[in-house]
Amino acid sequence: MSVARRFIKQELPLHLVRRHLEPGPVVLLTSAHGTRRNVMTLGWQTVMEFSPSLVGCMISAGNHSFELIRQSGSCVINVPPANLIDTVVSIGNTSGADIDKFETYSLTTEPGVKVPAPSIAECFASFECRLSDDRLVESHNFFVFEIVHATVARLARMPRTLHYTGDGVFMISGRRIDKSALFDPRML
């Protein structure tokens, strides 16, 4: 076993902490209510429970999707491949109140199976969600969703995903390290 390296640390401004704690890949979150629909870029989501499958998402109240999700109580979390980075950034820099982002960015929509929001065919995974808990929405814009239907591309076991670190900088998921042999099978 290797010896862990010790680091000399310096103080970090608190607003930069997120660069070290971003929980997962950047996603494209789709929503719909009535005749209105939207897609937004989201980097603040976290797995909260395995069964039922719960995901927490921080969605700004100023985002066009916020009210669509409040009204419909649902959304779809779509995980884009790394080669969609320019589209992901463009979606994040525009408002669905002004344009139809699906048409503007040539995204192919597929109807939801259990929710009114569409999934995006160009994304390798789509997780249909229903609002499970909204107690933190008023105070923190934090939605807790239960995934009620999931689809994933057959060849997408360990796809390259985008991870946002702030200031317009992304990382792409990297080298896989398999340590499953070291785990108790009950802990996998």
Side-chain angles (χ1 to χ4, degrees):
M1 190 176 276
S2 64
V3 175
R5 176 180 173 195
R6 293 183 180 198
F7 294 94
I8 298 171
K9 298 176 186 168
Q10 63 187 19
E11 200 165 314
L12 179 71
L14 297 179
H15 72 279
L16 299 178
V17 168
R18 64 179 276 225
R19 293 182 183 173
H20 300 276
L21 293 177
E22 288 297 338
V26 171
V27 300
L28 295 175
L29 189 121
T30 55
S31 55
H33 181 69
T35 59
R36 298 178 303 151
R37 65 183 189 164
N38 194 39
V39 57
M40 65 174 281
T41 300
L42 179 73
W44 293 344
Q45 76 283 336
T46 187
V47 171
M48 298 179 69
E49 181 60 81
F50 303 123
S51 184
S53 185
L54 299 179
V55 177
C57 298
M58 199 298 289
I59 302 168
S60 172
N63 191 293
H64 184 63
S65 294
F66 184 90
E67 277 307 314
L68 294 177
I69 292 167
R70 289 288 301 243
Q71 293 170 358
S72 70
S74 63
C75 66
V76 179
I77 298 171
N78 300 274
V79 185
N83 68 341
L84 282 185
I85 188 166
D86 291 343
T87 301
V88 167
V89 171
S90 295
I91 288 169
N93 284 326
T94 56
S95 172
D98 302 327
I99 61 171
D100 182 331
K101 295 184 196 182
F102 297 102
E103 288 182 21
T104 301
Y105 301 111
S106 302
L107 296 172
T108 308
T109 60
E110 297 174 327
V113 173
K114 295 193 174 188
V115 301
S119 63
I120 299 173
E122 290 80 8
C123 292
F124 63 82
S126 297
F127 308 123
E128 294 185 24
C129 303
R130 285 203 185 110
L131 186 59
S132 174
D133 188 334
D134 66 355
R135 287 179 284 181
L136 295 175
V137 172
E138 284 299 317
S139 61
H140 298 294
N141 297 332
F142 192 79
F143 294 78
V144 177
F145 295 106
E146 179 179 354
I147 298 175
V148 295
H149 184 76
T151 57
V152 64
R154 290 184 182 146
L155 301 176
R157 182 174 161 129
M158 288 305 233
R160 293 170 45 96
T161 54
L162 297 168
H163 299 260
Y164 189 62
T165 62
D167 296 328
V169 177
F170 292 80
M171 293 187 308
I172 296 176
S173 59
R175 184 171 63 107
R176 218 177 126 193
I177 301 171
D178 186 345
K179 295 290 186 176
S180 59
L182 299 177
F183 278 77
D184 178 329
R186 296 170 295 172
M187 303 304 282
L188 289 174

